[in-house]
Amino acid sequence: MMTETVVNVQEAPNNNAAPNKPPGGNDQPLSWIKINVDYFKTTPGLLKIAEFVLGIFCMALASPAYYGGSHFFLFVVTVSFIGTIIWIFVYLLGIREALTFPINWILTELVNTGICTVCYFIAFILQLIVSSSLHPGHPRRGAQITAGVFGILNTLVYAFATYLLHVEWKGSRTNQ
């Protein structure tokens, strides 16, 4: 006589499983992204747009970098421009609200903007020194000086944004 073994498989409840979504529900992989255009109607949002636009002018006028000071100026402008684009996307896509990482977003942006301000200050001075040393008939002299002037304007925009972030960060520290 042979013994027979019967195995019954029963599915155990899984409390960690995702809940059943109703038909037509939002099951898109990037559903956490929320487009936040209203941020760019505020003063910090308008400052980010100004940083972006002035950065484009600085890059367009100072390139190609034939002179030593212009190399550093374009480096600072490009790195600051990339940082500004990243912060624009952080606010536009609502990444700050979607991520649950223990990041002090205000302090991070404050440090980034402050470093950009100091670097822009050094870079526009260097750009103006180098461009003013070109002889008056040089074909790129006017564009190089104009790039330095736009660098001054962008330094002021970054400085004001740094000030506003500092005030916001101080206010957030006292509320905790």
Side-chain angles (χ1 to χ4, degrees), residues 83-165:
T84 300
I85 288 176
I86 290 171
W87 283 109
I88 285 173
F89 279 114
V90 163
Y91 284 103
L92 179 66
L93 302 176
I95 294 173
R96 265 179 66 161
E97 293 78 23
L99 293 180
T100 58
F101 296 137
I103 297 174
N104 188 340
W105 290 98
I106 298 170
L107 181 61
T108 305
E109 187 178 4
L110 172 64
V111 169
N112 175 267
T113 310
I115 290 171
C116 288
T117 303
V118 171
C119 289
Y120 247 109
F121 182 76
I122 296 167
F124 88 72
I125 290 173
L126 190 58
Q127 175 70 13
L128 289 175
I129 289 171
V130 168
S131 60
S132 66
S133 67
L134 299 174
H135 62 85
H138 195 278
R140 296 280 308 152
R141 184 172 194 241
Q144 296 292 323
I145 291 173
T146 308
V149 171
F150 276 110
I152 293 171
L153 295 175
N154 217 0
T155 301
L156 295 174
V157 171
Y158 273 103
F160 187 57
T162 302
Y163 170 74
L164 292 178
L165 285 165

Side-chain angles (χ1 to χ4, degrees), residues 42-59:
T42 65
T43 302
L46 292 172
L47 289 174
K48 285 209 186 10
I49 292 172
E51 293 165 1
F52 177 80
V53 171
L54 289 171
I56 290 173
F57 283 130
C58 287
M59 286 186 287

